[in-house]
Amino acid sequence: MFIKKAEKAFLKTYDSSVFEKLSVTTDLLVFSISDLKTNNYRKLSEKGMSVFLTNREQFPFKDCWSLPGGFVLPQETLEETAKRVLREKIHLDDLYLEQLYTFGEIDRDPRMRIISVAYMALVERSDLPYTLQQSDNWFNIIRGNNRILLRNENNPEIELDLTTSDVLAFDHQKIIEVGLDRLKNKIEYTDLAFHLVPNEFTLTELQNVYEAVLGKKLLAPAFRRTIKSKVVSTGNMTSGSGHRPSELYCYKSDMPSNS
Amino acid sequence: MFIKKAEKAFLKTYDSSVFEKLSVTTDLLVFSISDLKTNNYRKLSEKGMSVFLTNREQFPFKDCWSLPGGFVLPQETLEETAKRVLREKIHLDDLYLEQLYTFGEIDRDPRMRIISVAYMALVERSDLPYTLQQSDNWFNIIRGNNRILLRNENNPEIELDLTTSDVLAFDHQKIIEVGLDRLKNKIEYTDLAFHLVPNEFTLTELQNVYEAVLGKKLLAPAFRRTIKSKVVSTGNMTSGSGHRPSELYCYKSDMPSNS
């Protein structure tokens, strides 16, 4: 009781400027799976990963490609900032979102000391509005020979080589690398892959996602054995497009509880 | 070239107060493996995990147990702050350290909006100076029946039940829970366990670490099969203390490269 009163008195006169405050932002790493639209580079899979970049209209790094981001406002949690950035800059709501890592190098922003809490979002392209599916902001991530290339899906002449420094604004290159590593490490022991396929998918589509994230081909029989416990047949088949019909599956926890 | 000049001009007049700045701290979750010194609670293992807590001398939360922490200074990276806190508050240097998660709830600190970047440190107790090994700041983590108890190693009457709210300062309870989960998830697919044993260890000691972190007993033959590829015999044996001598192992990447 005495303590409570003394604490109240302490808080009333507390000088919040004793320690210098810092600017805090969130940056958004939005990944999806896409068709690899090129064949002048060693193809590991028909499908690849893509990342959503925005071209900066303002200084600093004007005209550079960057991850969408924004300042954390005093009345927002970090996740609320991340969701606001997705809404305002990409017109996206309701994505799978996880906190990735907090980047705090002293000179990462030329304006001032800015600490950035990066979030990773995973989207299934066919869930998006058509204009967003086809947007000029998607870049194929092409990995091989120890380098990572980002190639604009709609304009393959825009190609960013991440082994070269300063091809992206700020430390966004680093954030992409950390995100790719995180996803690669987590895909085998979590259910993250299911955020990257439609609700109903063929096992080949699911295998494509794992191959795109891991950056290597998998053997179908072994893949199917490891994935078996996580999926269940919907009883539906694919139709059309000249292929033999394939069985459609869904993620096991998506099934009604009486099944 | 023109852009570079224009950017310089922009930076010269940039008003860094456009977005309100926030306070940023780091909090340190220091885990080690210890003997469980009690038997009035269901024992899952002879060994358990412990966490290092400090008793707050200042408001807010005066006299409460808390994680050691400190403000991020403008000229420090986040990791530098974490290392400074370890040095200043626990007199520890050179620990395994990884960023855990950034906590940004709006009211997590009664003084003002403070965002905290939590780091997790892993220590092997016998590596520590004797006074630190025996310090009054270590709490056994006792898990079972959906609750977590923290019991002071030197004074079992100090017992904090984490299912009750407000037993620790700030949201430090939440940070401990997130850290325990992280370690549990990562121990099976990383080499984190080796930061919690001495350089030379018996397979039983190593199994004790896995059991303490996972909170369950493991079958020795299965454990030894999974761990085999990560360890190598040193050729040394334990001696003394009335037990049958046991073979000593070390972590495989610790071996000289000519072996």
Side-chain angles (χ1 to χ4, degrees), chain A residues 139-169:
Chain A
F139 283 73
N140 278 146
I141 299 170
I142 300 153
R143 284 175 286 183
N145 298 328
N146 287 320
R147 62 180 196 158
I148 302 175
L149 290 179
L150 304 183
R151 187 179 292 137
N152 191 282
E153 290 186 16
N154 293 346
N155 182 359
E157 283 178 17
I158 306 177
E159 191 177 82
L160 312 168
D161 181 346
L162 296 196
T163 46
T164 320
S165 53
D166 298 329
V167 291
L168 290 181

PDB file of all heavy atoms in Angstrom, chain A residues 139-169:
ATOM      1  N   PHE A 139       8.769  -8.864 -57.286  1.00  0.00           N
ATOM      2  CA  PHE A 139      10.081  -9.269 -57.798  1.00  0.00           C
ATOM      3  C   PHE A 139      10.313 -10.749 -57.531  1.00  0.00           C
ATOM      4  O   PHE A 139      10.203 -11.195 -56.382  1.00  0.00           O
ATOM      5  CB  PHE A 139      11.203  -8.467 -57.104  1.00  0.00           C
ATOM      6  CG  PHE A 139      11.345  -7.063 -57.606  1.00  0.00           C
ATOM      7  CD1 PHE A 139      10.407  -6.090 -57.277  1.00  0.00           C
ATOM      8  CD2 PHE A 139      12.424  -6.705 -58.409  1.00  0.00           C
ATOM      9  CE1 PHE A 139      10.538  -4.784 -57.736  1.00  0.00           C
ATOM     10  CE2 PHE A 139      12.566  -5.400 -58.874  1.00  0.00           C
ATOM     11  CZ  PHE A 139      11.619  -4.438 -58.548  1.00  0.00           C
ATOM     12  N   ASN A 140      10.638 -11.495 -58.583  1.00  0.00           N
ATOM     13  CA  ASN A 140      11.066 -12.887 -58.414  1.00  0.00           C
ATOM     14  C   ASN A 140      12.386 -12.923 -57.651  1.00  0.00           C
ATOM     15  O   ASN A 140      13.273 -12.117 -57.919  1.00  0.00           O
ATOM     16  CB  ASN A 140      11.321 -13.555 -59.767  1.00  0.00           C
ATOM     17  CG  ASN A 140      10.076 -14.066 -60.455  1.00  0.00           C
ATOM     18  OD1 ASN A 140      10.001 -14.035 -61.675  1.00  0.00           O
ATOM     19  ND2 ASN A 140       9.102 -14.528 -59.699  1.00  0.00           N
ATOM     20  N   ILE A 141      12.492 -13.861 -56.721  1.00  0.00           N
ATOM     21  CA  ILE A 141      13.746 -14.032 -55.986  1.00  0.00           C
ATOM     22  C   ILE A 141      14.482 -15.210 -56.618  1.00  0.00           C
ATOM     23  O   ILE A 141      13.995 -16.339 -56.584  1.00  0.00           O
ATOM     24  CB  ILE A 141      13.482 -14.321 -54.497  1.00  0.00           C
ATOM     25  CG1 ILE A 141      12.724 -13.146 -53.874  1.00  0.00           C
ATOM     26  CG2 ILE A 141      14.793 -14.575 -53.748  1.00  0.00           C
ATOM     27  CD1 ILE A 141      12.193 -13.420 -52.476  1.00  0.00           C
ATOM     28  N   ILE A 142      15.610 -14.949 -57.226  1.00  0.00           N
ATOM     29  CA  ILE A 142      16.337 -16.003 -57.940  1.00  0.00           C
ATOM     30  C   ILE A 142      17.642 -16.273 -57.213  1.00  0.00           C
ATOM     31  O   ILE A 142      18.501 -15.396 -57.098  1.00  0.00           O
ATOM     32  CB  ILE A 142      16.585 -15.572 -59.397  1.00  0.00           C
ATOM     33  CG1 ILE A 142      15.224 -15.317 -60.074  1.00  0.00           C
ATOM     34  CG2 ILE A 142      17.369 -16.646 -60.162  1.00  0.00           C
ATOM     35  CD1 ILE A 142      15.300 -14.327 -61.202  1.00  0.00           C
ATOM     36  N   ARG A 143      17.744 -17.486 -56.642  1.00  0.00           N
ATOM     37  CA  ARG A 143      18.923 -17.818 -55.847  1.00  0.00           C
ATOM     38  C   ARG A 143      19.778 -18.848 -56.560  1.00  0.00           C
ATOM     39  O   ARG A 143      19.271 -19.752 -57.205  1.00  0.00           O
ATOM     40  CB  ARG A 143      18.496 -18.392 -54.494  1.00  0.00           C
ATOM     41  CG  ARG A 143      18.009 -17.321 -53.541  1.00  0.00           C
ATOM     42  CD  ARG A 143      17.481 -17.917 -52.270  1.00  0.00           C
ATOM     43  NE  ARG A 143      16.182 -18.550 -52.468  1.00  0.00           N
ATOM     44  CZ  ARG A 143      15.480 -19.099 -51.501  1.00  0.00           C
ATOM     45  NH1 ARG A 143      15.961 -19.131 -50.274  1.00  0.00           N
ATOM     46  NH2 ARG A 143      14.300 -19.649 -51.749  1.00  0.00           N
ATOM     47  N   GLY A 144      21.070 -18.734 -56.431  1.00  0.00           N
ATOM     48  CA  GLY A 144      21.965 -19.717 -57.022  1.00  0.00           C
ATOM     49  C   GLY A 144      23.363 -19.167 -57.035  1.00  0.00           C
ATOM     50  O   GLY A 144      23.553 -17.943 -57.019  1.00  0.00           O
ATOM     51  N   ASN A 145      24.358 -20.045 -57.062  1.00  0.00           N
ATOM     52  CA  ASN A 145      25.759 -19.618 -57.096  1.00  0.00           C
ATOM     53  C   ASN A 145      26.075 -18.548 -56.056  1.00  0.00           C
ATOM     54  O   ASN A 145      26.752 -17.559 -56.347  1.00  0.00           O
ATOM     55  CB  ASN A 145      26.128 -19.064 -58.480  1.00  0.00           C
ATOM     56  CG  ASN A 145      25.968 -20.128 -59.546  1.00  0.00           C
ATOM     57  OD1 ASN A 145      26.177 -21.307 -59.270  1.00  0.00           O
ATOM     58  ND2 ASN A 145      25.587 -19.713 -60.740  1.00  0.00           N
ATOM     59  N   ASN A 146      25.532 -18.738 -54.825  1.00  0.00           N
ATOM     60  CA  ASN A 146      25.813 -17.794 -53.743  1.00  0.00           C
ATOM     61  C   ASN A 146      25.367 -16.373 -54.001  1.00  0.00           C
ATOM     62  O   ASN A 146      25.874 -15.446 -53.400  1.00  0.00           O
ATOM     63  CB  ASN A 146      27.316 -17.772 -53.416  1.00  0.00           C
ATOM     64  CG  ASN A 146      27.712 -19.030 -52.699  1.00  0.00           C
ATOM     65  OD1 ASN A 146      26.957 -19.501 -51.845  1.00  0.00           O
ATOM     66  ND2 ASN A 146      28.845 -19.578 -53.071  1.00  0.00           N
ATOM     67  N   ARG A 147      24.434 -16.191 -54.961  1.00  0.00           N
ATOM     68  CA  ARG A 147      23.920 -14.834 -55.056  1.00  0.00           C
ATOM     69  C   ARG A 147      22.397 -14.832 -55.153  1.00  0.00           C
ATOM     70  O   ARG A 147      21.774 -15.829 -55.490  1.00  0.00           O
ATOM     71  CB  ARG A 147      24.567 -14.050 -56.190  1.00  0.00           C
ATOM     72  CG  ARG A 147      24.327 -14.606 -57.570  1.00  0.00           C
ATOM     73  CD  ARG A 147      25.024 -13.713 -58.591  1.00  0.00           C
ATOM     74  NE  ARG A 147      24.547 -13.968 -59.923  1.00  0.00           N
ATOM     75  CZ  ARG A 147      24.647 -13.096 -60.923  1.00  0.00           C
ATOM     76  NH1 ARG A 147      25.199 -11.930 -60.725  1.00  0.00           N
ATOM     77  NH2 ARG A 147      24.188 -13.399 -62.119  1.00  0.00           N
ATOM     78  N   ILE A 148      21.833 -13.720 -54.828  1.00  0.00           N
ATOM     79  CA  ILE A 148      20.390 -13.550 -54.884  1.00  0.00           C
ATOM     80  C   ILE A 148      20.098 -12.405 -55.838  1.00  0.00           C
ATOM     81  O   ILE A 148      20.637 -11.311 -55.708  1.00  0.00           O
ATOM     82  CB  ILE A 148      19.807 -13.207 -53.493  1.00  0.00           C
ATOM     83  CG1 ILE A 148      20.153 -14.295 -52.469  1.00  0.00           C
ATOM     84  CG2 ILE A 148      18.300 -13.011 -53.564  1.00  0.00           C
ATOM     85  CD1 ILE A 148      19.714 -13.968 -51.039  1.00  0.00           C
ATOM     86  N   LEU A 149      19.264 -12.723 -56.848  1.00  0.00           N
ATOM     87  CA  LEU A 149      18.821 -11.687 -57.779  1.00  0.00           C
ATOM     88  C   LEU A 149      17.344 -11.423 -57.537  1.00  0.00           C
ATOM     89  O   LEU A 149      16.577 -12.359 -57.319  1.00  0.00           O
ATOM     90  CB  LEU A 149      18.967 -12.158 -59.228  1.00  0.00           C
ATOM     91  CG  LEU A 149      20.355 -12.312 -59.817  1.00  0.00           C
ATOM     92  CD1 LEU A 149      20.219 -12.816 -61.261  1.00  0.00           C
ATOM     93  CD2 LEU A 149      21.087 -10.978 -59.787  1.00  0.00           C
ATOM     94  N   LEU A 150      16.943 -10.161 -57.590  1.00  0.00           N
ATOM     95  CA  LEU A 150      15.523  -9.819 -57.593  1.00  0.00           C
ATOM     96  C   LEU A 150      15.199  -9.310 -58.980  1.00  0.00           C
ATOM     97  O   LEU A 150      15.818  -8.352 -59.453  1.00  0.00           O
ATOM     98  CB  LEU A 150      15.227  -8.736 -56.546  1.00  0.00           C
ATOM     99  CG  LEU A 150      15.628  -9.044 -55.109  1.00  0.00           C
ATOM    100  CD1 LEU A 150      15.199  -7.904 -54.191  1.00  0.00           C
ATOM    101  CD2 LEU A 150      15.022 -10.353 -54.625  1.00  0.00           C
ATOM    102  N   ARG A 151      14.255  -9.990 -59.656  1.00  0.00           N
ATOM    103  CA  ARG A 151      13.923  -9.591 -61.026  1.00  0.00           C
ATOM    104  C   ARG A 151      12.454  -9.237 -61.107  1.00  0.00           C
ATOM    105  O   ARG A 151      11.598 -10.049 -60.750  1.00  0.00           O
ATOM    106  CB  ARG A 151      14.258 -10.719 -62.008  1.00  0.00           C
ATOM    107  CG  ARG A 151      14.088 -10.309 -63.468  1.00  0.00           C
ATOM    108  CD  ARG A 151      14.456 -11.431 -64.410  1.00  0.00           C
ATOM    109  NE  ARG A 151      15.879 -11.713 -64.370  1.00  0.00           N
ATOM    110  CZ  ARG A 151      16.401 -12.934 -64.347  1.00  0.00           C
ATOM    111  NH1 ARG A 151      15.614 -13.992 -64.374  1.00  0.00           N
ATOM    112  NH2 ARG A 151      17.702 -13.098 -64.320  1.00  0.00           N
ATOM    113  N   ASN A 152      12.178  -8.033 -61.566  1.00  0.00           N
ATOM    114  CA  ASN A 152      10.798  -7.569 -61.636  1.00  0.00           C
ATOM    115  C   ASN A 152       9.961  -8.511 -62.511  1.00  0.00           C
ATOM    116  O   ASN A 152      10.344  -8.826 -63.637  1.00  0.00           O
ATOM    117  CB  ASN A 152      10.758  -6.146 -62.188  1.00  0.00           C
ATOM    118  CG  ASN A 152       9.390  -5.524 -62.028  1.00  0.00           C
ATOM    119  OD1 ASN A 152       8.476  -5.825 -62.787  1.00  0.00           O
ATOM    120  ND2 ASN A 152       9.243  -4.685 -61.011  1.00  0.00           N
ATOM    121  N   GLU A 153       8.825  -8.953 -61.983  1.00  0.00           N
ATOM    122  CA  GLU A 153       8.018  -9.933 -62.711  1.00  0.00           C
ATOM    123  C   GLU A 153       7.488  -9.385 -64.032  1.00  0.00           C
ATOM    124  O   GLU A 153       7.387 -10.114 -65.013  1.00  0.00           O
ATOM    125  CB  GLU A 153       6.836 -10.390 -61.845  1.00  0.00           C
ATOM    126  CG  GLU A 153       7.248 -11.258 -60.668  1.00  0.00           C
ATOM    127  CD  GLU A 153       6.040 -11.816 -59.929  1.00  0.00           C
ATOM    128  OE1 GLU A 153       4.921 -11.788 -60.477  1.00  0.00           O
ATOM    129  OE2 GLU A 153       6.234 -12.295 -58.796  1.00  0.00           O
ATOM    130  N   ASN A 154       7.156  -8.093 -64.061  1.00  0.00           N
ATOM    131  CA  ASN A 154       6.561  -7.516 -65.270  1.00  0.00           C
ATOM    132  C   ASN A 154       7.591  -6.894 -66.203  1.00  0.00           C
ATOM    133  O   ASN A 154       7.308  -6.650 -67.369  1.00  0.00           O
ATOM    134  CB  ASN A 154       5.522  -6.450 -64.902  1.00  0.00           C
ATOM    135  CG  ASN A 154       4.319  -7.073 -64.208  1.00  0.00           C
ATOM    136  OD1 ASN A 154       4.145  -8.290 -64.237  1.00  0.00           O
ATOM    137  ND2 ASN A 154       3.501  -6.249 -63.587  1.00  0.00           N
ATOM    138  N   ASN A 155       8.752  -6.616 -65.656  1.00  0.00           N
ATOM    139  CA  ASN A 155       9.793  -5.980 -66.460  1.00  0.00           C
ATOM    140  C   ASN A 155      11.157  -6.571 -66.096  1.00  0.00           C
ATOM    141  O   ASN A 155      11.886  -6.021 -65.259  1.00  0.00           O
ATOM    142  CB  ASN A 155       9.785  -4.465 -66.222  1.00  0.00           C
ATOM    143  CG  ASN A 155      10.819  -3.758 -67.065  1.00  0.00           C
ATOM    144  OD1 ASN A 155      11.570  -4.392 -67.819  1.00  0.00           O
ATOM    145  ND2 ASN A 155      10.887  -2.444 -66.928  1.00  0.00           N
ATOM    146  N   PRO A 156      11.504  -7.711 -66.747  1.00  0.00           N
ATOM    147  CA  PRO A 156      12.720  -8.442 -66.359  1.00  0.00           C
ATOM    148  C   PRO A 156      13.997  -7.629 -66.521  1.00  0.00           C
ATOM    149  O   PRO A 156      15.038  -8.032 -66.012  1.00  0.00           O
ATOM    150  CB  PRO A 156      12.719  -9.664 -67.284  1.00  0.00           C
ATOM    151  CG  PRO A 156      11.649  -9.456 -68.280  1.00  0.00           C
ATOM    152  CD  PRO A 156      10.738  -8.386 -67.787  1.00  0.00           C
ATOM    153  N   GLU A 157      13.880  -6.459 -67.165  1.00  0.00           N
ATOM    154  CA  GLU A 157      15.083  -5.619 -67.263  1.00  0.00           C
ATOM    155  C   GLU A 157      15.432  -4.965 -65.931  1.00  0.00           C
ATOM    156  O   GLU A 157      16.571  -4.549 -65.728  1.00  0.00           O
ATOM    157  CB  GLU A 157      14.906  -4.557 -68.358  1.00  0.00           C
ATOM    158  CG  GLU A 157      15.076  -5.189 -69.736  1.00  0.00           C
ATOM    159  CD  GLU A 157      14.876  -4.195 -70.861  1.00  0.00           C
ATOM    160  OE1 GLU A 157      14.923  -2.982 -70.594  1.00  0.00           O
ATOM    161  OE2 GLU A 157      14.654  -4.652 -72.005  1.00  0.00           O
ATOM    162  N   ILE A 158      14.444  -4.861 -65.061  1.00  0.00           N
ATOM    163  CA  ILE A 158      14.744  -4.336 -63.715  1.00  0.00           C
ATOM    164  C   ILE A 158      15.222  -5.516 -62.880  1.00  0.00           C
ATOM    165  O   ILE A 158      14.439  -6.368 -62.459  1.00  0.00           O
ATOM    166  CB  ILE A 158      13.516  -3.696 -63.051  1.00  0.00           C
ATOM    167  CG1 ILE A 158      12.919  -2.623 -63.958  1.00  0.00           C
ATOM    168  CG2 ILE A 158      13.890  -3.112 -61.690  1.00  0.00           C
ATOM    169  CD1 ILE A 158      11.656  -1.979 -63.415  1.00  0.00           C
ATOM    170  N   GLU A 159      16.528  -5.574 -62.688  1.00  0.00           N
ATOM    171  CA  GLU A 159      17.120  -6.711 -61.990  1.00  0.00           C
ATOM    172  C   GLU A 159      18.057  -6.173 -60.912  1.00  0.00           C
ATOM    173  O   GLU A 159      18.941  -5.372 -61.206  1.00  0.00           O
ATOM    174  CB  GLU A 159      17.882  -7.575 -62.993  1.00  0.00           C
ATOM    175  CG  GLU A 159      18.312  -8.901 -62.423  1.00  0.00           C
ATOM    176  CD  GLU A 159      19.004  -9.758 -63.469  1.00  0.00           C
ATOM    177  OE1 GLU A 159      20.215  -9.546 -63.710  1.00  0.00           O
ATOM    178  OE2 GLU A 159      18.338 -10.633 -64.039  1.00  0.00           O
ATOM    179  N   LEU A 160      17.850  -6.606 -59.675  1.00  0.00           N
ATOM    180  CA  LEU A 160      18.671  -6.123 -58.565  1.00  0.00           C
ATOM    181  C   LEU A 160      19.525  -7.279 -58.057  1.00  0.00           C
ATOM    182  O   LEU A 160      19.000  -8.311 -57.656  1.00  0.00           O
ATOM    183  CB  LEU A 160      17.776  -5.592 -57.442  1.00  0.00           C
ATOM    184  CG  LEU A 160      16.657  -4.635 -57.876  1.00  0.00           C
ATOM    185  CD1 LEU A 160      15.666  -4.399 -56.733  1.00  0.00           C
ATOM    186  CD2 LEU A 160      17.247  -3.312 -58.355  1.00  0.00           C
ATOM    187  N   ASP A 161      20.826  -7.109 -58.074  1.00  0.00           N
ATOM    188  CA  ASP A 161      21.748  -8.160 -57.637  1.00  0.00           C
ATOM    189  C   ASP A 161      22.134  -7.885 -56.182  1.00  0.00           C
ATOM    190  O   ASP A 161      22.859  -6.933 -55.898  1.00  0.00           O
ATOM    191  CB  ASP A 161      22.992  -8.137 -58.538  1.00  0.00           C
ATOM    192  CG  ASP A 161      23.977  -9.234 -58.153  1.00  0.00           C
ATOM    193  OD1 ASP A 161      23.856  -9.825 -57.068  1.00  0.00           O
ATOM    194  OD2 ASP A 161      24.892  -9.490 -58.966  1.00  0.00           O
ATOM    195  N   LEU A 162      21.633  -8.728 -55.265  1.00  0.00           N
ATOM    196  CA  LEU A 162      21.848  -8.442 -53.850  1.00  0.00           C
ATOM    197  C   LEU A 162      23.274  -8.692 -53.377  1.00  0.00           C
ATOM    198  O   LEU A 162      23.600  -8.404 -52.230  1.00  0.00           O
ATOM    199  CB  LEU A 162      20.859  -9.224 -52.972  1.00  0.00           C
ATOM    200  CG  LEU A 162      19.376  -8.906 -53.121  1.00  0.00           C
ATOM    201  CD1 LEU A 162      18.585  -9.463 -51.947  1.00  0.00           C
ATOM    202  CD2 LEU A 162      19.116  -7.415 -53.224  1.00  0.00           C
ATOM    203  N   THR A 163      24.140  -9.250 -54.245  1.00  0.00           N
ATOM    204  CA  THR A 163      25.548  -9.339 -53.834  1.00  0.00           C
ATOM    205  C   THR A 163      26.245  -7.991 -53.986  1.00  0.00           C
ATOM    206  O   THR A 163      27.280  -7.751 -53.384  1.00  0.00           O
ATOM    207  CB  THR A 163      26.322 -10.397 -54.660  1.00  0.00           C
ATOM    208  OG1 THR A 163      26.003 -10.223 -56.036  1.00  0.00           O
ATOM    209  CG2 THR A 163      25.955 -11.795 -54.219  1.00  0.00           C
ATOM    210  N   THR A 164      25.657  -7.107 -54.818  1.00  0.00           N
ATOM    211  CA  THR A 164      26.163  -5.738 -54.929  1.00  0.00           C
ATOM    212  C   THR A 164      25.573  -4.935 -53.775  1.00  0.00           C
ATOM    213  O   THR A 164      24.422  -5.121 -53.432  1.00  0.00           O
ATOM    214  CB  THR A 164      25.646  -5.102 -56.247  1.00  0.00           C
ATOM    215  OG1 THR A 164      25.700  -6.084 -57.263  1.00  0.00           O
ATOM    216  CG2 THR A 164      26.461  -3.897 -56.634  1.00  0.00           C
ATOM    217  N   SER A 165      26.365  -4.050 -53.186  1.00  0.00           N
ATOM    218  CA  SER A 165      25.778  -3.285 -52.080  1.00  0.00           C
ATOM    219  C   SER A 165      24.974  -2.122 -52.637  1.00  0.00           C
ATOM    220  O   SER A 165      25.129  -1.716 -53.792  1.00  0.00           O
ATOM    221  CB  SER A 165      26.873  -2.807 -51.127  1.00  0.00           C
ATOM    222  OG  SER A 165      27.868  -2.128 -51.840  1.00  0.00           O
ATOM    223  N   ASP A 166      24.088  -1.585 -51.786  1.00  0.00           N
ATOM    224  CA  ASP A 166      23.303  -0.386 -52.132  1.00  0.00           C
ATOM    225  C   ASP A 166      22.375  -0.554 -53.322  1.00  0.00           C
ATOM    226  O   ASP A 166      22.103   0.422 -54.024  1.00  0.00           O
ATOM    227  CB  ASP A 166      24.233   0.812 -52.413  1.00  0.00           C
ATOM    228  CG  ASP A 166      25.043   1.177 -51.180  1.00  0.00           C
ATOM    229  OD1 ASP A 166      24.535   0.973 -50.077  1.00  0.00           O
ATOM    230  OD2 ASP A 166      26.169   1.667 -51.356  1.00  0.00           O
ATOM    231  N   VAL A 167      21.878  -1.748 -53.566  1.00  0.00           N
ATOM    232  CA  VAL A 167      20.887  -1.846 -54.637  1.00  0.00           C
ATOM    233  C   VAL A 167      19.480  -1.612 -54.106  1.00  0.00           C
ATOM    234  O   VAL A 167      18.563  -1.335 -54.861  1.00  0.00           O
ATOM    235  CB  VAL A 167      20.929  -3.198 -55.388  1.00  0.00           C
ATOM    236  CG1 VAL A 167      22.206  -3.307 -56.205  1.00  0.00           C
ATOM    237  CG2 VAL A 167      20.766  -4.359 -54.448  1.00  0.00           C
ATOM    238  N   LEU A 168      19.306  -1.756 -52.790  1.00  0.00           N
ATOM    239  CA  LEU A 168      18.014  -1.442 -52.175  1.00  0.00           C
ATOM    240  C   LEU A 168      18.223  -0.329 -51.145  1.00  0.00           C
ATOM    241  O   LEU A 168      19.338  -0.099 -50.688  1.00  0.00           O
ATOM    242  CB  LEU A 168      17.453  -2.673 -51.446  1.00  0.00           C
ATOM    243  CG  LEU A 168      16.962  -3.843 -52.277  1.00  0.00           C
ATOM    244  CD1 LEU A 168      16.427  -4.922 -51.356  1.00  0.00           C
ATOM    245  CD2 LEU A 168      15.870  -3.410 -53.243  1.00  0.00           C
ATOM    246  N   ALA A 169      17.134   0.346 -50.773  1.00  0.00           N
ATOM    247  CA  ALA A 169      17.221   1.417 -49.774  1.00  0.00           C
ATOM    248  C   ALA A 169      17.564   0.835 -48.400  1.00  0.00           C
ATOM    249  O   ALA A 169      17.265  -0.328 -48.111  1.00  0.00           O
ATOM    250  CB  ALA A 169      15.895   2.155 -49.714  1.00  0.00           C
TER     251      ALA A 169
END
